[in-house]
């Protein structure tokens, strides 16, 4: 009897394994993050204002699966042929970059990458190279002097999917930059190199220290934005560990986490159990850069040396969405590098935790809300 029971158990496990693998092959999705500067976000925001899709979360970036769900919802609406072509083009672009179909026989340099997958389609592997050129031209006021900021990088990456729940992206790049802070608004200037530039050309001290420079240099440094993402229950529960830009809140330079802020490594969790409620949590370490002054003023982390390593961060945000109204509560705490379990608990209240830890850390809490005026726009405010 025991042998027969064990045989049934093995048969059940075998059938379950085959079923799961088949599901992976048929319903495979991609969970790579879509960069916050991608045009799809502006498209979705416009669609939300027009009442074509449901409420968007104000926690970005989204993953590819979430974006595709919104785009499919948009395609099911009565939209113009031009809009439909735009949505289809973006979908095809995302599938080309993050899809599961192999590129065997297409040639590496045609796509800039090579992708293959397992026989059942459950696993994919992609290796590729890409170049990113970013030139920003401006004119100073009142001097009317032309300024130019150049950011150029070549990136080698390996990415793929593990079954129906996990996606990963490992990458490293070489940057050649000529920096001019005057080409940016004060709050928008950023440095992408990992911690420092290694070499300055022509001969310099190696790392940028004062901007703008009287004698311009090209600086060489490394770039890396690795990430691993997991998603369950149709992206209603998501996890992510990675180094990329984030945008939490309304507008571009919002009160909680601005989309123009430096990328940093963090572990995130998102929960969307019902359509009108979303919860997001994050804990990580803010990036820092070697001593640098802009117009003679040090960055805050360099100016206040005694708090330079107060760079751990934990955040949480609760969003409630109703017909034309959104409301959110949020908390953020920045603290000295140390292991602090109270800030690693997603459902805790940081205000209570910060007081219990001795009132040593920097804490901010607030709320924001918005009203949607269909076909007109969105009015929002925060405190």
């Amino acid at each position: 009897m025991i042998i027969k029971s064990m045989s049934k158990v093995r048969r059940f496990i075998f059938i379950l394994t085959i079923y799961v693998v088949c599901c992976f092959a048929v319903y495979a999705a991609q969970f790579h993050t879509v960069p916050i500067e991608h045009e799809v976000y502006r498209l979705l925001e416009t669609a939300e204002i027009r009442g074509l899709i449901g409420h968007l979360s104000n926690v970005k970036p989204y993953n590819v699966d979430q974006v595709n769900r919104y785009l499919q919802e948009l395609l099911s609406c009565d939209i113009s042929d031009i809009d439909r072509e735009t949505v289809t083009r973006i979908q095809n672009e995302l599938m080309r970059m993050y899809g599961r179909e192999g590129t065997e026989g297409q040639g590496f340099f045609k796509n800039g990458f090579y992708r293959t997958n397992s026989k059942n389609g459950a696993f994919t592997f992609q290796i590729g190279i890409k170049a990113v050129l970013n030139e920003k031209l401006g004119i100073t006021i009142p001097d009317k002097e032309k300024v130019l900021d150049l950011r150029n990088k070549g990136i080698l990456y390996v990415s793929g999917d593990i079954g129906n729940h996990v996606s990963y992206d490992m990458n490293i790049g070489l940057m050649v930059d000529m920096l001019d802070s005057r080409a940016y608004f004060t709050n928008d200037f950023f440095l992408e190199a990992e911690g420092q530039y290694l070499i300055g050309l022509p001969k310099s001290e190696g790392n940028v220290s004062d901007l703008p420079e009287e004698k311009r240099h090209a600086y060489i440094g490394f770039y890396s934005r690795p990430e691993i993402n997991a998603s369950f229950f149709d992206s209603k529960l998501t996890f992510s560990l990675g180094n990329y830009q984030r945008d939490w809140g309304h507008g571009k330079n919002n009160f909680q986490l601005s989309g123009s802020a430096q990328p940093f490594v963090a572990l995130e969790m998102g929960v969307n159990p019902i359509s009108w409620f979303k919860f997001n949590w994050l804990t990580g370490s803010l990036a820092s850069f070697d001593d640098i002054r802009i117009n003679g003023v040090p960055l805050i982390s360099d100016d206040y040396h005694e708090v330079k390593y107060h760079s751990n961060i934990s955040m949480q945000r609760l969003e409630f969405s109703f017909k034309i109204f959104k409301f959110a509560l949020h908390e953020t705490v920045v603290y000295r590098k140390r292991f602090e379990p109270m800030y690693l608990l997603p459902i805790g209240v940081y205000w209570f935790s910060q007081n219990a830890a001795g009132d040593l850390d920097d804490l901010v809490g607030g709320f924001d809300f918005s009203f949607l005026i269909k076909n007109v726009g969105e009015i929002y405010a925060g405190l």
Side-chain angles (χ1 to χ4, degrees):
M1 293 296 293
I2 295 176
I3 295 175
K4 288 184 178 180
S5 297
M6 290 297 292
S7 178
K8 290 181 180 179
V9 170
R10 290 194 187 99
R11 190 180 300 118
F12 172 77
I13 293 174
F14 175 76
I15 293 173
L16 180 62
T17 302
I18 295 297
Y19 172 78
V20 171
V21 169
C22 289
C23 286
F24 284 167
V26 177
Y27 299 107
Q30 297 78 37
F31 307 108
H32 305 274
T33 57
V34 179
I36 60 174
E37 67 270 13
H38 196 285
E39 63 175 315
V40 72
Y41 292 106
R42 264 51 69 189
L43 174 71
L44 294 179
E45 288 165 3
T46 302
E48 181 188 30
I49 291 172
R50 292 171 60 187
L52 299 175
I53 61 176
H55 286 297
L56 297 173
S57 170
N58 285 317
V59 174
K60 303 180 183 69
Y62 305 150
N63 66 41
V64 176
D65 180 59
Q66 291 169 325
V67 168
N68 274 328
R69 290 176 187 275
Y70 283 126
L71 293 179
Q72 282 300 119
E73 184 180 353
L74 187 52
L75 285 174
S76 67
C77 299
D78 183 18
I79 57 178
S80 68
D81 291 339
I82 295 177
D83 290 341
R84 194 170 295 275
E85 289 177 6
T86 301
V87 173
T88 303
R89 174 182 60 79
I90 292 176
Q91 275 191 320
N92 291 338
E93 175 189 315
L94 292 174
M95 287 303 98
R96 188 184 75 84
M97 288 301 301
Y98 305 110
R100 287 180 174 256
E101 292 186 4
T103 60
E104 294 88 345
Q106 297 183 20
F108 180 87
F109 292 101
K110 179 180 178 180
N111 296 303
F113 60 84
Y114 169 81
R115 181 167 59 225
T116 187
N117 52 42
S118 58
K119 291 182 179 180
N120 56 27
F123 299 89
T124 63
F125 174 85
Q126 178 173 317
I127 183 170
I129 56 174
K130 57 184 175 182
V132 181
L133 310 178
N134 187 357
E135 284 75 37
K136 188 177 286 290
L137 178 66
I139 298 177
T140 62
I141 298 175
D143 301 332
K144 295 185 178 180
E145 180 183 353
K146 292 182 180 179
V147 295
L148 180 63
D149 183 273
L150 304 176
R151 310 290 180 97
N152 310 291
K153 53 182 174 281
I155 302 170
L156 171 67
Y157 67 91
V158 173
S159 63
D161 302 290
I162 303 174
N164 197 37
H165 295 288
V166 178
S167 298
Y168 64 90
D169 189 345
M170 300 180 292
N171 54 70
I172 186 169
L174 186 67
M175 307 181 61
V176 181
D177 296 347
M178 295 186 70
L179 307 172
D180 196 327
S181 57
R182 296 171 298 176
Y184 296 82
F185 290 114
T186 303
N187 292 335
D188 291 341
F189 180 78
F190 66 100
L191 295 163
E192 290 188 284
E194 294 300 304
Q196 64 179 359
Y197 288 103
L198 303 179
I199 305 172
L201 302 173
K203 186 177 180 181
S204 72
E205 295 180 358
N207 197 17
V208 60
S209 57
D210 291 283
L211 291 174
E213 297 178 306
E214 292 185 8
K215 182 180 180 181
R216 302 202 65 185
H217 296 84
Y219 291 97
I220 299 176
F222 287 112
Y223 168 97
S224 181
R225 297 288 183 270
E227 62 180 69
I228 183 167
N229 309 286
S231 179
F232 306 91
F233 310 112
D234 296 329
S235 286
K236 287 181 168 51
L237 175 64
T238 60
F239 297 92
S240 178
L241 176 61
N243 182 11
Y244 47 81
Q245 282 185 295
R246 299 166 172 85
D247 189 355
W248 286 35
H250 289 284
K252 182 178 180 182
N253 291 315
N254 52 70
F255 287 143
Q256 189 168 18
L257 180 56
S258 171
S260 61
Q262 290 283 129
F264 61 95
V265 177
L267 172 66
E268 292 184 63
M269 180 181 71
V271 183
N272 183 198
I274 48 182
S275 61
W276 52 268
F277 174 73
K278 298 179 181 70
F279 171 74
N280 289 85
W281 167 83
L282 169 155
T283 187
S285 180
L286 297 173
S288 61
F289 203 85
D290 266 7
D291 293 348
I292 180 173
R293 295 173 178 267
I294 298 178
N295 296 321
V297 179
L299 296 178
I300 292 177
S301 61
D302 297 329
D303 194 21
Y304 299 99
H305 295 283
E306 67 275 12
V307 296
K308 184 172 183 178
Y309 297 103
H310 282 200
S311 57
N312 279 2
I313 185 171
S314 291
M315 301 169 51
Q316 54 188 356
R317 181 178 177 88
L318 294 88
E319 295 184 336
F320 304 87
S321 304
F322 308 97
K323 291 183 179 179
I324 63 170
F325 178 66
K326 288 183 186 178
F327 178 76
L329 297 169
H330 61 82
E331 275 191 309
T332 301
V333 60
V334 177
Y335 57 102
R336 182 177 290 275
K337 287 187 179 295
R338 68 179 192 269
F339 177 67
E340 187 53 77
M342 290 189 291
Y343 297 143
L344 303 181
L345 181 64
I347 57 175
V349 179
Y350 294 151
W351 183 44
F352 299 157
S353 300
Q354 197 267 157
N355 287 331
D359 196 16
L360 301 173
D361 308 312
D362 298 318
L363 174 73
V364 62
F367 66 89
D368 54 64
F369 60 90
S370 68
F371 290 93
L372 186 68
I373 305 175
K374 188 176 180 180
N375 292 321
V376 176
E378 185 178 30
I379 301 174
Y380 61 85
L383 178 65

